[in-house]
Structures are given as structure tokens and as C-alpha cells.
Amino acid sequence: MGYYNFEKKRKEKKKKNGLYWILKMSMPLQRGVSGGVRVSDSSDDLRDSQMKDKSDKEGHLTLRFPFAFLFTSNNNTQSTDPYNSRTRHRLMLLFLKISLVLIVVLALAGSFWWTISISTTSRGHVYHNYRRLQEQLVSDLLDIGEISAGPTRWKEIEYCSVESENYVPCFNVSESLDRFCGPGGSRQECLVLPPVDYKVPLRWPTGKDVIWYHNVKITADEVLTSGSINKRMMMMDDDQISFRSASPMFDEVEDYSHQIAQMIGIKNDNFIEAGVRTILDIGCGYGSFGAHLLSKQLLTMCIANYEASGSQVQLTLERGLPAMIASFVSTQLPYPSLSFDMLHCSTCGIDWDQKDGLLLVEVDRVLKPGGYFVWTSPLTSARNKEDIKRWNFVHDFAESICWTLLSQQDKTVVWKKTIKTKCYSSRSPGVGPSVCSKGHEVESPYYRPLQMCLGGTRSRRWIPIEGRTRWPSRSNMNKTELSLYGLHPEEVGEDAANWKANVRDYWSLLSPLIFSDHPKRPGDEDPSPPYNMLRNVLDMNAQYGGLNAALLEAKKSVWVMNVVPTAGPNHLPMILDRGFVGVLHDWCEAFPTYPRTYDLVHADSLLSLQTSQRKSSCSLLQILTEVDRLLRPEGWVIIRDTVQLVEAARALTTQLKWEARVIEVESSSDQRLLICQKPFTKRQSI
């Protein structure tokens, strides 16, 4: 019985141990510290081992995939199904796909929100950038168009021959002194080079009194044999021609000016108090009379015939003084009636007694009521019979057109034009020329034939010079004065404000290259104030003369040639009445002056004006080629116009060899500035 019980217990224990092995073998192997398999003989060890296994697995899974807790069982039991591992992998892949979709959705939503934000808060900035892209596209298309037109369009313009250094189109075409701008007379398809020894003119005001000898076409013999009082105002000194006030001749001009003032009845040479501001100097010599009057705030326009050499106009312009080619031959001057306060002729070479006094009628036309005609000539003190006869004709003809002889001293005579139109009707029948009819009263006489009738008598501008506002207040017209030209103060005032801002911009853009406080070049002496490398400006489309007025108000010591294009409205009468100088001109023709004339050429909306003409007889390139002829070496060009036209002009500057830069005026403006500089290219000496 005892044995039986013992065997029974031994078999049960053996059976129990066999079940444990079955269970133990059915569980996965656990990786221990040493990598081996750990076997326990007790159920507690088994339970501890299972708990540790579970903890190790959970910890290992947590490190490899931080979101593993999402896939743990709620009853915290470890499944023994081999397919559970595959299920977990599928769930993980699904989670990754869902995460990727969420990331894409968030990215798209953020992008959509950013787009909405730009469209609502930065619309102006985006539009501004769009404008820039659009303008760049226009520029590129213009360039492409130029390139597609063929390589000849982009070929640089060739230089002219040596004979063209002083070439003036419209005047070199015939033996006559008349201007001829027909076919072949007004085109120049090459770039004019300066003389071999040309030097950049001295700065203002030094350049007014000293010029470089080789810059003008004049010989020493012509200087020494000059006959008039003005021509003798020169001294040759090495490579310079001097007109300095230290010259003994300076006193002669000052005495001459004082003599004229006394003959008019002016004290202390104060011509402005007598209503004189602008003077037309006919046959001006070399500009010494005008240079002297400039110090008295008088503006003198020198005109003379074209001369192949020893030119009065060329030398006067080289001094930085106003001058242009014009002649009393067969056509009217390009000025409206009643333009100048005084006309001056000192041994000017005009035979006033010829053509039955027709040339004196032209003087009367451009002279303002109450203006003065000053004539200095040996003929006024003639002693032989023939000269006395000629003098008597001029004297009597002047009286027949209602001029009053104020005084006669030595060789100088001063007449005063009448201020009363009734004088013409009170003359005896057949005495003097008649008054022009309405059909002949033209304010835009662009080289029309001379007329034997008295003009300007019906003009609303018939105002005596003594009755006009004194200079410098004359430059700013009041409401009553503006009404004479059909203009409103608001319109002119807005224009004036714009030009004040423009002048500030120009001064800033070109400084210090032109208006530097330290413009000294190597080897130059210190310039006298005001420091200014800019002496004159050619305004190709002057409009109301706003640029001229703004420069004066800013106290810039420059003078402006105000050009009114024949293609646009004629505001030249107003410009002249403001106390400025100007002229009518067709820019499809050559300007009546010599090469290398101006320091700065300015064109505001001129290209738009020219392109608006359906039957324009010239191209943009031809106009710019003429500008190159007028511009001094190292001179500047400022073009203000629409984006398209500015870019078209910029494309042509390559052919002209100019350095060019486009500048944005305002972000909201459809205009641009084109700033160019002409290089100093010298001809190689042979």
C-alpha cells in the first residue's frame, strides 16, 4: 500500500514535469543578457520570465516606434498567434499612409491660406512686380524686334570725315547764306568727331572768359584782323583765347554799354528798370557785348550768318553764351512777333538800306512795343555823298514805321519803337509799309518769306515793355498775364511744381558728375564759384518754359535754349514774354548751330510728340543722331517719356555709342527717364 502510494505520486510528478516542458517549448525563446536560453524549474520563475519578456518587448517596440501604444492589447496579454505580427505590420503601414495624407492636406491648406493672404494684404506689391515684369517683357520684345530687323539695325554708326568737324546741315549746301533743308540738306548719317586737339571746355564761369583755341575753327590771323569792337575783345595766349575782364578792351565794352544806357535815359546802366530783359544781338562778333550784359541779368541771343570758318556763333557758344545761326536774307527769323526788348547791331554787316527797307520791317516785327533798336556803324556819321544817301534812307524809313530817334552819338544811333498802334493809321497816305492783314498775322513764322507789312499790331500781346512786370518777377506770370495765352494759373502752377521736383531729381542724379562741389580735374586750377560744369541746356520740347523757370528759381547759373517744336502747340510767345530765349524748330531738320554746342540736351515727351505725327519725315534714330551732333563730348542727355519709347531710345544708344541708363520715375507712373552720356572719342592724329 505504501509502495503503491509512492509510485502514484512519482508518476503524477513526472506527468506534471512533462506538461511543463510542453508548455515551455511552445513559448518563444527569450533573448537574455548573454544571448542564451534561460530555463526555470518553478512556476514563479516562469511567471517572472513571462512578465520580463513582455516588458522587454514593449520597451523595445516603444523605442523603435513611438506610437506602438496605439496597437497594444487592452488585457495586457501577449498573443501567441503567428498572424498577429503581420497584422501589426499592416496597421503600421496604414498609419504611415494616413500620416502622409494628413501631411499633404496640411501643406495644401497652408499654401492656399498663404495665397489668400498675399492677394488681400500684398496686392499692390504683387501688382508692382507684375508691372516690372511687364515692362521688362516690353523691353525684351523691343530688343527682339530690333534684332529681327537685321544686323544692320544694330550696327554702330560710323564716324564722319575730318571735313565734317564743323559741318552744319542746311547751310553747307549752297553758296547762298539762305538756309536750305530740302532733300540732302538736312540729313547726316554719321557721328561728328571733335578736332584732334579738342579739350573739354572750362567750367562756368571761367569758360565764359577763356576758351581752348583748337575747339573752334578760327585762325590767329582772323583774331588779329577782326574789325568790330566785339571781335577785338580777344587775346591769343598759347592754346587759349582769353576774354578776361583784365583785358584793356573790357573797359571799351563797359564804356559802350554805359553810352547806350545814357542815350536811352537809363541811370547806372540799370536796363531792367527800363523794361529791358532780352536782347537780340545781330552779328554779335564773339559775344563780348552779351557776356558783359549777362552780369546785369540781361539775356542776349546772338545771331549771325553761317561762316565756314571764324564763326561768330561757334565761338560765342564755345564761351557758353546763347547763340544760333540766323540771317536777314529772304526769310523771317524763327521767332514770333513782339519777341525782344532790344535789337542790337554793331558793325553787323547788314545793309539796312537794301530791299527797300524790308530788313528793317523784320526788325520791327520781332521788337516789342517800346523796344529799342541800337545801331553802331560808320554809315551813321557818313561824309561822302553815297553813304549820306544810304544813311538818310534808313533815317527816313525808321520814321515812317513810327520809330522815334532818341539819340545819336559818334557812330551809334538809338531808336524806340512806338507803343501806340494809332501811329500807323495817322501816317500820310503812301508813307511807309502798311499794317499786315489778319491773314499775315502768324505767331508761328517758321522761316516764312519776308513780308513788307508791319506785324503784331493786332496781337493781344501788344504791351509796352515799361508796362510789363519787371525781371525777375516777369518769369512768374499772374492770372491776367496768363489769360493772354488762354492758360489758367492752376495749369501753369501744377506744371511749375512738377518742374521744381524734376530739377531736384536731375541735380541729384547727375551730381557729382556735373554739379559737383569738387569738380576739379587733374591739372586744372581751382574753379571759381559757383562750381558748375553745366553752362547751357537745350530743351527740345520746352512747353511753358517750366524747366528754365525751375533752374532759375533753384539759382542754377545756366541758360536754356527753349525750343518749341513745330509739331506741337506754340507756347513760344509766352516763353519769350517770361524773359527767356527760345526758337521754333522742326526736329526732322537740323538745328541751326554748329557741332559740340550744348552741355545738356533735355527732351520731355518729345518722342511721343514726334511719333504722334502720322506723316513724320524722320526716324527716332535720325533725331538722336542730330542730338549727338549738338552735344559736347562728355555731355549729357535726359529723355523723359513713356516706357515703350524710352526703351526704344535705349536700344538705339548702342549705335550712338552712348552710355545709357533707364531710371524709374515713380512706381505708379508710366514714364521713365533715360540718362545718357556722350563719350569723349578723339580722332587719331595723322
Side-chain angles (χ1 to χ4, degrees):
M1 184 71 175
Y3 176 77
Y4 174 78
N5 291 334
F6 175 79
E7 281 294 328
K8 183 178 180 181
K9 290 181 179 180
R10 189 178 63 80
K11 289 181 179 180
E12 287 177 356
K13 185 177 181 180
K14 185 178 180 180
K15 184 177 181 181
K16 184 177 181 181
N17 288 338
L19 179 60
Y20 171 78
W21 274 103
I22 293 174
L23 292 173
K24 190 67 178 178
M25 292 298 295
S26 66
M27 294 180 65
L29 297 176
Q30 299 298 322
R31 198 177 299 272
V33 177
S34 61
V37 178
R38 179 183 179 188
V39 180
S40 178
D41 291 334
S42 66
S43 59
D44 294 335
D45 290 340
L46 174 61
R47 187 166 49 253
D48 294 339
S49 177
Q50 288 176 342
M51 293 296 295
K52 186 176 181 180
D53 260 347
K54 181 176 181 181
S55 176
D56 289 344
K57 282 189 178 183
E58 288 178 355
H60 185 64
L61 185 60
T62 302
L63 291 174
R64 294 185 62 182
F65 189 58
F67 299 102
F69 67 92
L70 296 173
F71 303 98
T72 57
S73 175
N74 293 333
N75 55 11
N76 295 326
T77 58
Q78 181 70 33
S79 173
T80 59
D81 188 354
Y83 293 99
N84 286 344
S85 177
R86 297 180 183 177
T87 301
R88 287 197 303 272
H89 285 299
R90 291 174 182 174
L91 290 175
M92 290 172 65
L93 290 175
L94 179 61
F95 175 79
L96 290 174
K97 291 179 181 180
I98 294 174
S99 300
L100 181 60
V101 170
L102 289 174
I103 292 172
V104 172
V105 171
L106 291 173
L108 291 176
S111 177
F112 179 76
W113 175 85
W114 179 75
T115 304
I116 294 298
S117 175
I118 286 182
S119 63
T120 55
T121 62
S122 305
R123 188 183 304 273
H125 180 70
V126 173
Y127 179 69
H128 180 67
N129 289 338
Y130 168 75
R131 283 175 58 88
R132 290 179 178 272
L133 292 174
Q134 186 184 44
E135 291 161 6
Q136 184 62 43
L137 177 61
V138 171
S139 173
D140 295 341
L141 290 176
L142 288 171
D143 292 344
I144 293 172
E146 292 286 341
I147 295 173
S148 64
T152 57
R153 295 290 301 276
W154 284 95
K155 183 179 179 181
E156 290 187 347
I157 301 176
E158 297 181 355
Y159 291 112
C160 302
S161 62
V162 177
E163 293 75 17
S164 298
E165 287 179 354
N166 299 286
Y167 176 77
V168 181
C170 301
F171 289 93
N172 297 64
V173 294
S174 67
E175 297 295 331
S176 172
L177 296 177
D178 275 329
R179 172 179 175 274
F180 176 74
C181 283
S186 60
R187 291 288 183 266
Q188 191 170 21
E189 305 296 339
C190 57
L191 303 180
V192 179
L193 280 176
V196 174
D197 297 322
Y198 180 88
K199 297 181 180 179
V200 174
L202 300 174
R203 283 172 292 276
W204 188 274
T206 305
K208 178 170 61 70
D209 299 322
V210 180
I211 66 172
W212 300 111
Y213 168 72
H214 295 287
N215 286 12
V216 294
K217 193 173 183 180
I218 186 172
T219 64
D221 291 338
E222 289 171 329
V223 174
L224 296 175
T225 58
S226 299
S228 73
I229 180 177
N230 296 322
K231 292 184 179 180
R232 293 199 306 271
M233 289 286 298
M234 298 189 299
M235 294 186 300
M236 300 294 296
D237 181 18
D238 295 332
D239 58 348
Q240 293 179 340
I241 301 176
S242 176
F243 306 85
R244 295 187 183 276
S245 59
S247 167
M249 293 295 179
F250 178 80
D251 295 333
E252 187 174 350
V253 170
E254 188 174 22
D255 292 342
Y256 177 66
S257 172
H258 184 65
Q259 177 189 354
I260 295 174
Q262 284 184 329
M263 296 173 70
I264 294 176
I266 301 173
K267 297 180 180 180
N268 302 322
D269 293 358
N270 195 347
F271 288 90
I272 290 180
E273 287 298 321
V276 178
R277 156 64 180 173
T278 55
I279 301 171
L280 184 66
D281 195 1
I282 307 166
C284 59
Y286 296 137
S288 295
F289 182 60
H292 171 70
L293 295 179
L294 188 64
S295 62
K296 301 180 181 297
Q297 299 187 50
L298 302 181
L299 194 58
T300 303
M301 170 62 71
C302 163
I303 62 171
N305 294 332
Y306 166 76
E307 299 170 89
S309 64
S311 167
Q312 304 172 61
V313 170
Q314 186 187 38
L315 196 147
T316 301
L317 285 165
E318 188 66 25
R319 299 181 64 182
L321 300 170
M324 61 175 288
I325 300 173
S327 59
F328 286 84
V329 180
S330 61
T331 57
Q332 293 181 339
L333 298 174
Y335 313 115
S337 301
L338 318 178
S339 295
F340 295 93
D341 304 319
M342 177 186 288
L343 268 73
H344 174 258
C345 168
S346 175
T347 320
C348 59
I350 304 295
D351 296 327
W352 299 110
D353 59 308
Q354 300 299 310
K355 299 185 179 182
D356 299 326
L358 182 61
L359 303 182
L360 287 172
V361 173
E362 178 64 4
V363 171
D364 181 87
R365 185 185 70 82
V366 298
L367 196 61
K368 292 180 182 294
Y372 303 96
F373 178 56
V374 180
W375 183 31
T376 299
S377 171
L379 197 64
T380 62
S381 58
R383 294 183 179 181
N384 64 69
K385 184 180 294 186
E386 184 63 28
D387 289 344
I388 292 175
K389 180 180 178 181
R390 295 178 61 191
W391 158 245
N392 288 334
F393 175 86
V394 175
H395 176 276
D396 295 341
F397 192 86
E399 185 178 354
S400 73
I401 57 177
C402 295
W403 288 4
T404 301
L405 181 61
L406 294 182
S407 180
Q408 180 177 358
Q409 295 182 14
D410 300 328
K411 299 178 181 180
T412 302
V413 181
V414 178
W415 281 282
K416 181 180 178 67
K417 180 178 176 177
T418 184
I419 62 174
K420 299 178 180 180
T421 57
K422 292 182 179 180
C423 176
Y424 303 117
S425 60
S426 63
R427 296 174 299 173
S428 301
V431 176
S434 61
V435 174
C436 293
S437 63
K438 291 184 178 180
H440 290 84
E441 286 282 9
V442 180
E443 290 282 25
S444 302
Y446 189 63
Y447 296 102
R448 298 174 65 219
L450 291 171
Q451 302 178 84
M452 184 58 84
C453 64
L454 302 174
T457 59
R458 293 183 174 87
S459 174
R460 299 175 62 188
R461 298 170 48 242
W462 185 279
I463 302 174
I465 61 173
E466 295 91 342
R468 291 186 175 273
T469 306
R470 296 288 184 269
W471 179 263
S473 300
R474 181 191 294 189
S475 63
N476 298 315
M477 292 185 167
N478 56 40
K479 182 178 180 180
T480 303
E481 291 170 332
L482 290 175
S483 64
L484 298 176
Y485 318 97
L487 298 174
H488 299 284
E490 295 79 10
E491 182 181 5
V492 179
E494 182 179 355
D495 180 77
N498 290 336
W499 281 114
K500 288 179 185 178
N502 292 340
V503 165
R504 287 194 298 268
D505 293 341
Y506 294 164
W507 224 255
S508 176
L509 288 170
L510 299 180
S511 178
L513 298 175
I514 290 182
F515 313 107
S516 175
D517 290 338
H518 305 283
K520 182 179 177 182
R521 293 168 181 248
D524 287 356
E525 297 179 357
D526 291 332
S528 302
Y531 306 111
N532 194 352
M533 294 178 66
L534 185 67
R535 304 172 301 174
N536 55 16
V537 178
L538 176 68
D539 195 358
M540 300 178 70
N541 186 20
Q543 301 171 36
Y544 303 137
L547 175 62
N548 197 157
L551 287 169
L552 284 174
E553 187 168 342
K555 301 186 183 305
K556 309 304 180 184
S557 56
V558 300
W559 67 270
V560 180
M561 174 65 84
N562 296 280
V563 181
V564 175
T566 56
N570 181 19
H571 296 300
L572 185 58
M574 172 192 175
I575 292 174
L576 295 170
D577 290 346
R578 296 182 72 176
F580 308 148
V581 293
V583 66
L584 290 168
H585 184 63
D586 180 358
W587 281 113
C588 283
E589 299 175 353
F591 194 74
T593 191
Y594 290 83
R596 303 174 299 280
T597 293
Y598 291 96
D599 299 328
L600 173 64
V601 176
H602 177 263
D604 176 50
S605 303
L606 175 70
L607 306 185
S608 297
L609 180 64
Q610 290 293 137
T611 55
S612 65
Q613 303 300 310
R614 296 181 179 179
K615 297 182 179 180
S616 179
S617 58
C618 60
S619 65
L620 178 58
L621 180 59
Q622 290 170 329
I623 295 176
L624 296 180
T625 303
E626 172 64 6
V627 170
D628 183 88
R629 185 183 73 87
L630 303 176
L631 201 62
R632 299 183 190 276
E634 295 188 359
W636 292 82
V637 180
I638 299 179
I639 298 176
R640 178 188 292 267
D641 224 299
T642 62
V643 174
Q644 293 80 0
L645 290 174
V646 164
E647 289 295 344
R650 181 192 62 82
L652 297 176
T653 58
T654 303
Q655 296 179 259
L656 298 167
K657 305 175 180 66
W658 292 353
E659 298 177 4
R661 178 186 178 190
V662 177
I663 298 176
E664 183 176 345
V665 179
E666 295 177 358
S667 59
S668 60
S669 174
D670 63 344
Q671 288 193 328
R672 293 292 181 272
L673 282 180
L674 179 63
I675 309 293
C676 307
Q677 186 178 29
K678 176 182 176 179
F680 189 174
T681 305
K682 300 184 68 172
R683 191 185 302 277
Q684 299 296 325
S685 58
I686 301 175

